[in-house]
């Protein structure tokens, strides 16, 4: 059972426009969410995170929105740049029930973002 | 500061063999997590070590094991390799102090033939 779902395998946007990547989760125990970016032949790079006590977190061009009632989060990139082209992973953690460990992440399968010049 | 180091970067093994992968975390990080990435299953959590103790484990068979040394370096071992074990194995160095951020190494690409 896939607890974190990224239903769009790919997304293509024009440079300068907004990119919106979506993620849904089913486990109500998840209380911390992260987005990672991955280039080929590299490990994932942490982008931004959000705790379940918030509904929005911003960091420069990146904003993550969390809708707990819908069990949905999204990553907005504004403006999109060609260098943003990569696979984006949504990940979740159930910190309260992780046996003292906060580092067991459940990942979605990723969305390939292509930003066209 | 130096990033996460994983060795080797690429490995080819045959079915039935065993393999050991190594990870050196960021200096000062005492927790390390391991993940397996495959095209079909995505990134899946294997286990996490903190101060030489396994603190959490994913849903993988006992053929997958790991350990951590006193200098925080970690190894994972896969015995009796199967074709389905072909994957990218990623090590994450876990940030202390409650930020919950993980810094990934470049991975080890394992191919089982």
């Amino acid at each position: 059972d896939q607890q974190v779902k990224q239903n769009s395998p790919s997304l293509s946007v024009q440079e300068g426009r907004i990119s919106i990547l979506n993620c849904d989760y089913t486990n109500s125990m998840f209380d911390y969410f992260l987005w990672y970016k991955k280039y080929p032949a590299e490990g994932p790079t942490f982008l931004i995170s959000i705790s379940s006590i918030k509904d929005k977190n911003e960091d420069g061009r990146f904003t993550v929105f969390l809708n707990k009632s819908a069990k949905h989060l999204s990553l907005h990139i504004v403006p999109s740049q060609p260098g943003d082209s990569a696979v984006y992973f949504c990940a979740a953690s159930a910190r309260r029930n992780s046996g003292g460990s906060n580092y067991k992440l459940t990942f979605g399968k990723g969305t390939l973002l292509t930003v066209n010049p | 500061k130096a990033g996460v180091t994983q060795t080797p970067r690429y490995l080819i093994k045959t079915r039935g063999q065993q393999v050991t992968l190594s990870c050196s975390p960021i200096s000062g990080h005492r927790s390390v997590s391991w993940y397996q990435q495959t095209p079909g299953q995505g990134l899946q959590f294997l286990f996490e070590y903190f101060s030489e103790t396994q603190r959490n484990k994913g849903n993988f068979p006992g053929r997958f094991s790991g350990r951590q040394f006193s200098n925080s370096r970690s190894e994972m071992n896969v015995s009796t390799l199967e074709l389905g074990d072909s994957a990218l194995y990623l090590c994450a160095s876990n940030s202390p102090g409650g930020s919950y951020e993980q810094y990934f190494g470049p991975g080890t690409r394992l191919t089982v033939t």
Side-chain angles (χ1 to χ4, degrees):
Chain A
D1 177 37
Q2 201 178 343
Q3 299 185 61
V4 177
K5 298 180 184 179
Q6 294 177 256
N7 291 320
S8 298
S10 62
L11 174 68
S12 182
V13 300
Q14 285 299 120
E15 181 178 5
R17 306 292 292 268
I18 184 172
S19 295
I20 300 177
L21 297 105
N22 294 303
C23 178
D24 297 295
Y25 62 96
T26 58
N27 189 342
S28 58
M29 301 309 297
F30 287 146
D31 58 359
Y32 199 76
F33 304 89
L34 309 92
W35 284 93
Y36 283 84
K37 177 170 74 172
K38 187 179 185 301
Y39 295 115
E42 293 182 12
T45 302
F46 170 75
L47 268 178
I48 192 170
S49 62
I50 188 167
S51 164
S52 59
I53 63 173
K54 295 184 176 182
D55 54 18
K56 177 182 175 181
N57 189 26
E58 272 184 274
D59 184 0
R61 296 186 298 114
F62 302 91
T63 303
V64 56
F65 295 92
L66 175 62
N67 182 333
K68 289 185 289 293
S69 61
K71 293 191 176 67
H72 176 84
L73 63 156
S74 60
L75 174 68
H76 293 211
I77 306 173
V78 183
S80 300
Q81 300 172 355
D84 295 330
S85 298
V87 177
Y88 287 78
F89 290 97
C90 169
S93 172
R95 294 179 298 173
R96 287 190 302 271
N97 292 283
S98 57
S101 164
N102 301 309
Y103 301 111
K104 177 181 179 180
L105 296 183
T106 301
F107 282 83
K109 293 192 176 182
T111 296
L112 173 62
L113 173 66
T114 303
V115 181
N116 301 303
Chain B
K1 55 182 175 184
V4 182
T5 304
Q6 288 189 250
T7 55
R9 292 291 311 276
Y10 302 92
L11 204 50
I12 300 176
K13 292 284 189 178
T14 57
R15 278 180 297 175
Q17 287 187 313
Q18 75 165 19
V19 66
T20 299
L21 313 180
S22 179
C23 171
S24 292
I26 293 169
S27 177
H29 288 191
R30 295 166 59 192
S31 172
V32 170
S33 297
W34 287 90
Y35 293 84
Q36 180 196 65
Q37 185 183 16
T38 59
Q41 298 299 319
L43 273 150
Q44 291 188 289
F45 175 80
L46 279 157
F47 26 65
E48 184 222 341
Y49 285 87
F50 175 77
S51 292
E52 302 178 65
T53 301
Q54 187 181 86
R55 197 158 62 168
N56 217 328
K57 191 176 188 306
N59 296 323
F60 279 82
R63 298 184 298 107
F64 292 81
S65 63
R67 59 177 175 169
Q68 187 180 33
F69 302 94
S70 59
N71 62 356
S72 295
R73 189 177 71 86
S74 178
E75 289 181 347
M76 68 161 282
N77 184 278
V78 188
S79 63
T80 319
L81 283 166
E82 301 177 358
L83 294 178
D85 297 333
S86 294
L88 180 67
Y89 290 88
L90 291 159
C91 168
S93 180
N94 301 324
S95 182
S99 66
Y100 314 115
E101 293 166 16
Q102 296 184 300
Y103 299 90
F104 284 83
T108 295
R109 171 73 63 187
L110 172 65
T111 302
V112 182
T113 61

